[in-house]
Amino acid sequence: MTETKKSQWNSNFAFMMAMIGSAVGLGNIWRFPKVLYTNGGGSFMIPYIVSLFLLGISFVLVEYAVGYRFKRSLARILFTISKKLEPVAWFILFTVFLITTYYVCVVGWDLIYIFLSFTKAWGANPDVFFTQNVLHATESMTGLFTIVPTVLASVIAIWFITWFIIKRDLNEGIGAVSKVLIPLLCVIVVIIVAFSLTLPGASVGYSQIFTPDWSALTNLDVWLAAFGQIVFSLSLGMAIAMTYASYLPEGSKLVDNAMIVAFSNSGFEVFNSIGTFSILGFMAVTTAIPFNELVTSGSGLAFVVFPQVFNIMGDAAYVIGPLFFICILFAGITSIIALLEGFCYSISEKFLIERKKTATVVCIVGCLISAIFTTAAGSTILDIADAFLNNFALLFAVFLECIIFGWIYKFDNLIETLNEHSRIKVGKTWKVVIKYILPVCIAGLWLEGVLTTINNNNELSSTVMLILTAIVIIVPIILAKLPAINKDYYNVEN
Ligand code: PHE
């Protein structure tokens, strides 16, 4: 047996912190505010809460039940259900691994900004500074041959930190780090939000969240946006909850745990957005730039708009600036370690490689792939990879999981597993959601993504997406075809 397989959380708290760490990430900090703003402000909370309960929590419960029941890696779970499904598992795991390779790069940019923020070294034009001085960005593909040394160094640093955590035993690594970083993250966010509320113009910002646009509720896109945010923010379909739940001891209260994690994650993003909007309100009032021009998402919000705000904030920015970037670092690292765990566990279980060695190989390969994103053309490729992997591949993965666990596997087993020790019980409604409602919603979201991409497509993105499609099909097939070293892997009893 592998070392990883015997792993078990030594406390429910460690498991919860790791789960919250996996969910709270860049998506909560820089994706949510824009999604909220462009989809009706206050009224968005209705589709958001409905999506959280109906779809988000329901799907997390599937992952919990499967992981807890099988106590195996995803690759072996799908092999157990049907031999033919093993490539699907590797497809999911490998897609998540590829997502991690660029996610690490973004956290690497953030690491650079922690240092810059102590002196506001981005100067008077943070937008030019970000694209030219930090990324050295070019859209031409010849940029692929120019590595940007600072970005490469910080990406290596993030991979090193990741390796240092995941190579350890579950509790000494992921458990211990999550138990420290997640409470610290909460303290930092409380400080940032409390401070931002004292800024002149804060109310101009946060009132945007509390002013509902009820007409948005009749717009299907708003509902899809809410659902999309829940999928991304709760890290659905990435085999994280499944892997973490497989390390739970007998007698764990699965449903209760899932609820706490989902509410904490959403609570975090809603609370944090009050701070973000207050800060943007301050900027709008001070500079007379219209509020809607300030609300961006992604790297534009974190590395351009926020530095612009820190420039006009005075001395307080020397404290709030570093705290903001440290917050992204902590949220990012706890997500990265979670994103890798399912892949590492599956490799280590199938090929009987001990945890430390698996972590080393995965981190080295990951770092080599990340190097592509540290070139001058890296940020252009990163955007294309992100659109493809998140909008297509990942949603497809969630869809496949619904079909496999809702239709192919005996679903009632999962109901039995969940209700065994939990105070809150699940039943027929949950079954209907997983079998019918969820797959339809995901298909809608997926189609919307396909249509948007087709409309905005150019030659470069088509080429990159085609290459990625080939990779996410070929590599999983190879991984599935390779014979298992672990003979227990072929034992299909459950
Ligand atoms: N949920 C995390 C976040 O919001 C992790 C995640 C990473 C989700 C990458 C999707 C893709 O950042």
PDB file of all heavy atoms in Angstrom, residues 461-487:
ATOM      1  N   SER A 461      -5.684  31.876 -30.704  1.00  0.00           N
ATOM      2  CA  SER A 461      -6.393  31.122 -29.672  1.00  0.00           C
ATOM      3  C   SER A 461      -6.917  29.791 -30.206  1.00  0.00           C
ATOM      4  O   SER A 461      -6.913  28.795 -29.490  1.00  0.00           O
ATOM      5  CB  SER A 461      -7.484  31.953 -29.010  1.00  0.00           C
ATOM      6  OG  SER A 461      -8.395  32.378 -29.943  1.00  0.00           O
ATOM      7  N   SER A 462      -7.317  29.754 -31.486  1.00  0.00           N
ATOM      8  CA  SER A 462      -7.769  28.460 -32.024  1.00  0.00           C
ATOM      9  C   SER A 462      -6.622  27.455 -32.001  1.00  0.00           C
ATOM     10  O   SER A 462      -6.819  26.285 -31.653  1.00  0.00           O
ATOM     11  CB  SER A 462      -8.246  28.573 -33.467  1.00  0.00           C
ATOM     12  OG  SER A 462      -8.951  29.717 -33.663  1.00  0.00           O
ATOM     13  N   THR A 463      -5.418  27.916 -32.378  1.00  0.00           N
ATOM     14  CA  THR A 463      -4.280  26.993 -32.404  1.00  0.00           C
ATOM     15  C   THR A 463      -3.974  26.484 -31.004  1.00  0.00           C
ATOM     16  O   THR A 463      -3.816  25.274 -30.781  1.00  0.00           O
ATOM     17  CB  THR A 463      -3.020  27.713 -32.954  1.00  0.00           C
ATOM     18  OG1 THR A 463      -3.415  28.499 -34.062  1.00  0.00           O
ATOM     19  CG2 THR A 463      -1.939  26.741 -33.338  1.00  0.00           C
ATOM     20  N   VAL A 464      -3.903  27.420 -30.031  1.00  0.00           N
ATOM     21  CA  VAL A 464      -3.568  27.007 -28.662  1.00  0.00           C
ATOM     22  C   VAL A 464      -4.637  26.036 -28.134  1.00  0.00           C
ATOM     23  O   VAL A 464      -4.330  25.006 -27.526  1.00  0.00           O
ATOM     24  CB  VAL A 464      -3.432  28.235 -27.720  1.00  0.00           C
ATOM     25  CG1 VAL A 464      -3.216  27.803 -26.280  1.00  0.00           C
ATOM     26  CG2 VAL A 464      -2.296  29.133 -28.173  1.00  0.00           C
ATOM     27  N   MET A 465      -5.897  26.353 -28.414  1.00  0.00           N
ATOM     28  CA  MET A 465      -6.975  25.489 -27.907  1.00  0.00           C
ATOM     29  C   MET A 465      -6.938  24.106 -28.557  1.00  0.00           C
ATOM     30  O   MET A 465      -7.209  23.103 -27.903  1.00  0.00           O
ATOM     31  CB  MET A 465      -8.334  26.147 -28.144  1.00  0.00           C
ATOM     32  CG  MET A 465      -8.549  27.315 -27.199  1.00  0.00           C
ATOM     33  SD  MET A 465     -10.210  27.948 -27.274  1.00  0.00           S
ATOM     34  CE  MET A 465     -10.067  29.377 -26.213  1.00  0.00           C
ATOM     35  N   LEU A 466      -6.567  24.083 -29.823  1.00  0.00           N
ATOM     36  CA  LEU A 466      -6.467  22.800 -30.521  1.00  0.00           C
ATOM     37  C   LEU A 466      -5.345  21.946 -29.904  1.00  0.00           C
ATOM     38  O   LEU A 466      -5.524  20.745 -29.646  1.00  0.00           O
ATOM     39  CB  LEU A 466      -6.158  23.060 -32.001  1.00  0.00           C
ATOM     40  CG  LEU A 466      -6.893  22.160 -32.972  1.00  0.00           C
ATOM     41  CD1 LEU A 466      -8.391  22.430 -32.897  1.00  0.00           C
ATOM     42  CD2 LEU A 466      -6.394  22.407 -34.405  1.00  0.00           C
ATOM     43  N   ILE A 467      -4.221  22.592 -29.639  1.00  0.00           N
ATOM     44  CA  ILE A 467      -3.099  21.871 -29.024  1.00  0.00           C
ATOM     45  C   ILE A 467      -3.516  21.349 -27.646  1.00  0.00           C
ATOM     46  O   ILE A 467      -3.298  20.188 -27.296  1.00  0.00           O
ATOM     47  CB  ILE A 467      -1.850  22.797 -28.885  1.00  0.00           C
ATOM     48  CG1 ILE A 467      -1.369  23.219 -30.278  1.00  0.00           C
ATOM     49  CG2 ILE A 467      -0.731  22.122 -28.093  1.00  0.00           C
ATOM     50  CD1 ILE A 467      -0.251  24.246 -30.270  1.00  0.00           C
ATOM     51  N   LEU A 468      -4.177  22.238 -26.877  1.00  0.00           N
ATOM     52  CA  LEU A 468      -4.604  21.826 -25.536  1.00  0.00           C
ATOM     53  C   LEU A 468      -5.604  20.667 -25.599  1.00  0.00           C
ATOM     54  O   LEU A 468      -5.543  19.737 -24.792  1.00  0.00           O
ATOM     55  CB  LEU A 468      -5.225  23.009 -24.795  1.00  0.00           C
ATOM     56  CG  LEU A 468      -4.225  23.994 -24.184  1.00  0.00           C
ATOM     57  CD1 LEU A 468      -4.936  25.250 -23.703  1.00  0.00           C
ATOM     58  CD2 LEU A 468      -3.486  23.348 -23.006  1.00  0.00           C
ATOM     59  N   THR A 469      -6.513  20.724 -26.579  1.00  0.00           N
ATOM     60  CA  THR A 469      -7.492  19.637 -26.712  1.00  0.00           C
ATOM     61  C   THR A 469      -6.757  18.316 -26.927  1.00  0.00           C
ATOM     62  O   THR A 469      -7.074  17.302 -26.286  1.00  0.00           O
ATOM     63  CB  THR A 469      -8.438  19.893 -27.912  1.00  0.00           C
ATOM     64  OG1 THR A 469      -8.940  21.203 -27.811  1.00  0.00           O
ATOM     65  CG2 THR A 469      -9.584  18.904 -27.946  1.00  0.00           C
ATOM     66  N   ALA A 470      -5.766  18.355 -27.832  1.00  0.00           N
ATOM     67  CA  ALA A 470      -5.009  17.126 -28.110  1.00  0.00           C
ATOM     68  C   ALA A 470      -4.319  16.636 -26.829  1.00  0.00           C
ATOM     69  O   ALA A 470      -4.381  15.436 -26.494  1.00  0.00           O
ATOM     70  CB  ALA A 470      -3.989  17.391 -29.205  1.00  0.00           C
ATOM     71  N   ILE A 471      -3.711  17.568 -26.100  1.00  0.00           N
ATOM     72  CA  ILE A 471      -2.978  17.169 -24.878  1.00  0.00           C
ATOM     73  C   ILE A 471      -3.909  16.559 -23.830  1.00  0.00           C
ATOM     74  O   ILE A 471      -3.604  15.524 -23.243  1.00  0.00           O
ATOM     75  CB  ILE A 471      -2.221  18.382 -24.284  1.00  0.00           C
ATOM     76  CG1 ILE A 471      -1.146  18.851 -25.271  1.00  0.00           C
ATOM     77  CG2 ILE A 471      -1.583  18.036 -22.944  1.00  0.00           C
ATOM     78  CD1 ILE A 471      -0.402  20.093 -24.821  1.00  0.00           C
ATOM     79  N   VAL A 472      -5.076  17.220 -23.608  1.00  0.00           N
ATOM     80  CA  VAL A 472      -5.954  16.696 -22.550  1.00  0.00           C
ATOM     81  C   VAL A 472      -6.674  15.406 -22.964  1.00  0.00           C
ATOM     82  O   VAL A 472      -7.352  14.782 -22.150  1.00  0.00           O
ATOM     83  CB  VAL A 472      -6.988  17.733 -22.013  1.00  0.00           C
ATOM     84  CG1 VAL A 472      -6.307  18.883 -21.322  1.00  0.00           C
ATOM     85  CG2 VAL A 472      -7.940  18.212 -23.078  1.00  0.00           C
ATOM     86  N   ILE A 473      -6.526  15.021 -24.223  1.00  0.00           N
ATOM     87  CA  ILE A 473      -7.073  13.713 -24.626  1.00  0.00           C
ATOM     88  C   ILE A 473      -5.962  12.653 -24.586  1.00  0.00           C
ATOM     89  O   ILE A 473      -6.130  11.570 -24.009  1.00  0.00           O
ATOM     90  CB  ILE A 473      -7.704  13.789 -26.037  1.00  0.00           C
ATOM     91  CG1 ILE A 473      -8.947  14.691 -25.994  1.00  0.00           C
ATOM     92  CG2 ILE A 473      -8.088  12.386 -26.534  1.00  0.00           C
ATOM     93  CD1 ILE A 473      -9.605  14.936 -27.329  1.00  0.00           C
ATOM     94  N   ILE A 474      -4.802  12.996 -25.158  1.00  0.00           N
ATOM     95  CA  ILE A 474      -3.743  11.983 -25.303  1.00  0.00           C
ATOM     96  C   ILE A 474      -3.118  11.589 -23.946  1.00  0.00           C
ATOM     97  O   ILE A 474      -3.017  10.405 -23.623  1.00  0.00           O
ATOM     98  CB  ILE A 474      -2.655  12.485 -26.275  1.00  0.00           C
ATOM     99  CG1 ILE A 474      -3.267  12.637 -27.674  1.00  0.00           C
ATOM    100  CG2 ILE A 474      -1.460  11.523 -26.330  1.00  0.00           C
ATOM    101  CD1 ILE A 474      -2.403  13.371 -28.667  1.00  0.00           C
ATOM    102  N   VAL A 475      -2.725  12.592 -23.164  1.00  0.00           N
ATOM    103  CA  VAL A 475      -2.038  12.261 -21.898  1.00  0.00           C
ATOM    104  C   VAL A 475      -2.920  11.380 -20.980  1.00  0.00           C
ATOM    105  O   VAL A 475      -2.445  10.356 -20.466  1.00  0.00           O
ATOM    106  CB  VAL A 475      -1.540  13.544 -21.174  1.00  0.00           C
ATOM    107  CG1 VAL A 475      -0.914  13.214 -19.837  1.00  0.00           C
ATOM    108  CG2 VAL A 475      -0.565  14.293 -22.061  1.00  0.00           C
ATOM    109  N   PRO A 476      -4.186  11.721 -20.787  1.00  0.00           N
ATOM    110  CA  PRO A 476      -5.015  10.848 -19.934  1.00  0.00           C
ATOM    111  C   PRO A 476      -5.126   9.419 -20.475  1.00  0.00           C
ATOM    112  O   PRO A 476      -5.122   8.463 -19.692  1.00  0.00           O
ATOM    113  CB  PRO A 476      -6.377  11.537 -19.924  1.00  0.00           C
ATOM    114  CG  PRO A 476      -6.066  12.962 -20.171  1.00  0.00           C
ATOM    115  CD  PRO A 476      -4.908  12.972 -21.116  1.00  0.00           C
ATOM    116  N   ILE A 477      -5.197   9.276 -21.799  1.00  0.00           N
ATOM    117  CA  ILE A 477      -5.298   7.913 -22.343  1.00  0.00           C
ATOM    118  C   ILE A 477      -4.026   7.134 -22.010  1.00  0.00           C
ATOM    119  O   ILE A 477      -4.076   5.976 -21.577  1.00  0.00           O
ATOM    120  CB  ILE A 477      -5.556   7.951 -23.873  1.00  0.00           C
ATOM    121  CG1 ILE A 477      -6.950   8.524 -24.119  1.00  0.00           C
ATOM    122  CG2 ILE A 477      -5.419   6.563 -24.496  1.00  0.00           C
ATOM    123  CD1 ILE A 477      -7.355   8.650 -25.567  1.00  0.00           C
ATOM    124  N   ILE A 478      -2.889   7.805 -22.147  1.00  0.00           N
ATOM    125  CA  ILE A 478      -1.618   7.122 -21.833  1.00  0.00           C
ATOM    126  C   ILE A 478      -1.595   6.729 -20.345  1.00  0.00           C
ATOM    127  O   ILE A 478      -1.284   5.595 -19.989  1.00  0.00           O
ATOM    128  CB  ILE A 478      -0.408   8.039 -22.153  1.00  0.00           C
ATOM    129  CG1 ILE A 478      -0.373   8.316 -23.664  1.00  0.00           C
ATOM    130  CG2 ILE A 478       0.905   7.411 -21.668  1.00  0.00           C
ATOM    131  CD1 ILE A 478       0.691   9.282 -24.105  1.00  0.00           C
ATOM    132  N   LEU A 479      -1.960   7.688 -19.484  1.00  0.00           N
ATOM    133  CA  LEU A 479      -1.930   7.397 -18.040  1.00  0.00           C
ATOM    134  C   LEU A 479      -2.861   6.241 -17.676  1.00  0.00           C
ATOM    135  O   LEU A 479      -2.568   5.427 -16.803  1.00  0.00           O
ATOM    136  CB  LEU A 479      -2.299   8.643 -17.236  1.00  0.00           C
ATOM    137  CG  LEU A 479      -1.195   9.710 -17.167  1.00  0.00           C
ATOM    138  CD1 LEU A 479      -1.738  11.034 -16.666  1.00  0.00           C
ATOM    139  CD2 LEU A 479      -0.051   9.247 -16.264  1.00  0.00           C
ATOM    140  N   ALA A 480      -3.995   6.160 -18.385  1.00  0.00           N
ATOM    141  CA  ALA A 480      -4.935   5.072 -18.099  1.00  0.00           C
ATOM    142  C   ALA A 480      -4.408   3.742 -18.630  1.00  0.00           C
ATOM    143  O   ALA A 480      -4.589   2.691 -18.016  1.00  0.00           O
ATOM    144  CB  ALA A 480      -6.295   5.391 -18.709  1.00  0.00           C
ATOM    145  N   LYS A 481      -3.739   3.802 -19.776  1.00  0.00           N
ATOM    146  CA  LYS A 481      -3.256   2.569 -20.407  1.00  0.00           C
ATOM    147  C   LYS A 481      -2.052   1.970 -19.679  1.00  0.00           C
ATOM    148  O   LYS A 481      -1.849   0.745 -19.686  1.00  0.00           O
ATOM    149  CB  LYS A 481      -2.844   2.854 -21.864  1.00  0.00           C
ATOM    150  CG  LYS A 481      -4.015   2.997 -22.813  1.00  0.00           C
ATOM    151  CD  LYS A 481      -4.329   1.665 -23.501  1.00  0.00           C
ATOM    152  CE  LYS A 481      -5.541   1.748 -24.414  1.00  0.00           C
ATOM    153  NZ  LYS A 481      -6.823   1.510 -23.773  1.00  0.00           N
ATOM    154  N   LEU A 482      -1.254   2.816 -19.061  1.00  0.00           N
ATOM    155  CA  LEU A 482      -0.072   2.300 -18.357  1.00  0.00           C
ATOM    156  C   LEU A 482      -0.512   1.296 -17.289  1.00  0.00           C
ATOM    157  O   LEU A 482      -1.464   1.555 -16.549  1.00  0.00           O
ATOM    158  CB  LEU A 482       0.693   3.451 -17.678  1.00  0.00           C
ATOM    159  CG  LEU A 482       1.517   4.358 -18.599  1.00  0.00           C
ATOM    160  CD1 LEU A 482       2.065   5.546 -17.802  1.00  0.00           C
ATOM    161  CD2 LEU A 482       2.660   3.590 -19.241  1.00  0.00           C
ATOM    162  N   PRO A 483       0.136   0.153 -17.211  1.00  0.00           N
ATOM    163  CA  PRO A 483      -0.304  -0.833 -16.224  1.00  0.00           C
ATOM    164  C   PRO A 483      -0.009  -0.376 -14.792  1.00  0.00           C
ATOM    165  O   PRO A 483       1.009   0.268 -14.545  1.00  0.00           O
ATOM    166  CB  PRO A 483       0.529  -2.072 -16.574  1.00  0.00           C
ATOM    167  CG  PRO A 483       1.672  -1.559 -17.375  1.00  0.00           C
ATOM    168  CD  PRO A 483       1.257  -0.287 -18.028  1.00  0.00           C
ATOM    169  N   ALA A 484      -0.913  -0.706 -13.887  1.00  0.00           N
ATOM    170  CA  ALA A 484      -0.704  -0.311 -12.486  1.00  0.00           C
ATOM    171  C   ALA A 484       0.380  -1.174 -11.859  1.00  0.00           C
ATOM    172  O   ALA A 484       0.459  -2.372 -12.120  1.00  0.00           O
ATOM    173  CB  ALA A 484      -2.003  -0.482 -11.724  1.00  0.00           C
ATOM    174  N   ILE A 485       1.219  -0.556 -11.036  1.00  0.00           N
ATOM    175  CA  ILE A 485       2.241  -1.317 -10.315  1.00  0.00           C
ATOM    176  C   ILE A 485       1.593  -1.919  -9.059  1.00  0.00           C
ATOM    177  O   ILE A 485       1.918  -2.990  -8.602  1.00  0.00           O
ATOM    178  CB  ILE A 485       3.412  -0.383  -9.881  1.00  0.00           C
ATOM    179  CG1 ILE A 485       3.910   0.451 -11.061  1.00  0.00           C
ATOM    180  CG2 ILE A 485       4.531  -1.167  -9.204  1.00  0.00           C
ATOM    181  CD1 ILE A 485       4.793  -0.232 -12.052  1.00  0.00           C
ATOM    182  N   ASN A 486       0.624  -1.138  -8.535  1.00  0.00           N
ATOM    183  CA  ASN A 486      -0.084  -1.560  -7.335  1.00  0.00           C
ATOM    184  C   ASN A 486      -1.157  -2.595  -7.723  1.00  0.00           C
ATOM    185  O   ASN A 486      -2.133  -2.265  -8.384  1.00  0.00           O
ATOM    186  CB  ASN A 486      -0.735  -0.308  -6.721  1.00  0.00           C
ATOM    187  CG  ASN A 486      -1.532  -0.608  -5.482  1.00  0.00           C
ATOM    188  OD1 ASN A 486      -1.596  -1.759  -5.034  1.00  0.00           O
ATOM    189  ND2 ASN A 486      -2.152   0.422  -4.927  1.00  0.00           N
ATOM    190  N   LYS A 487      -0.973  -3.836  -7.314  1.00  0.00           N
ATOM    191  CA  LYS A 487      -1.912  -4.885  -7.747  1.00  0.00           C
ATOM    192  C   LYS A 487      -3.305  -4.684  -7.134  1.00  0.00           C
ATOM    193  O   LYS A 487      -4.311  -5.078  -7.704  1.00  0.00           O
ATOM    194  CB  LYS A 487      -1.354  -6.286  -7.403  1.00  0.00           C
ATOM    195  CG  LYS A 487      -0.129  -6.636  -8.230  1.00  0.00           C
ATOM    196  CD  LYS A 487      -0.416  -6.609  -9.751  1.00  0.00           C
ATOM    197  CE  LYS A 487       0.869  -6.513 -10.576  1.00  0.00           C
ATOM    198  NZ  LYS A 487       0.854  -5.488 -11.624  1.00  0.00           N
TER     199      LYS A 487
END
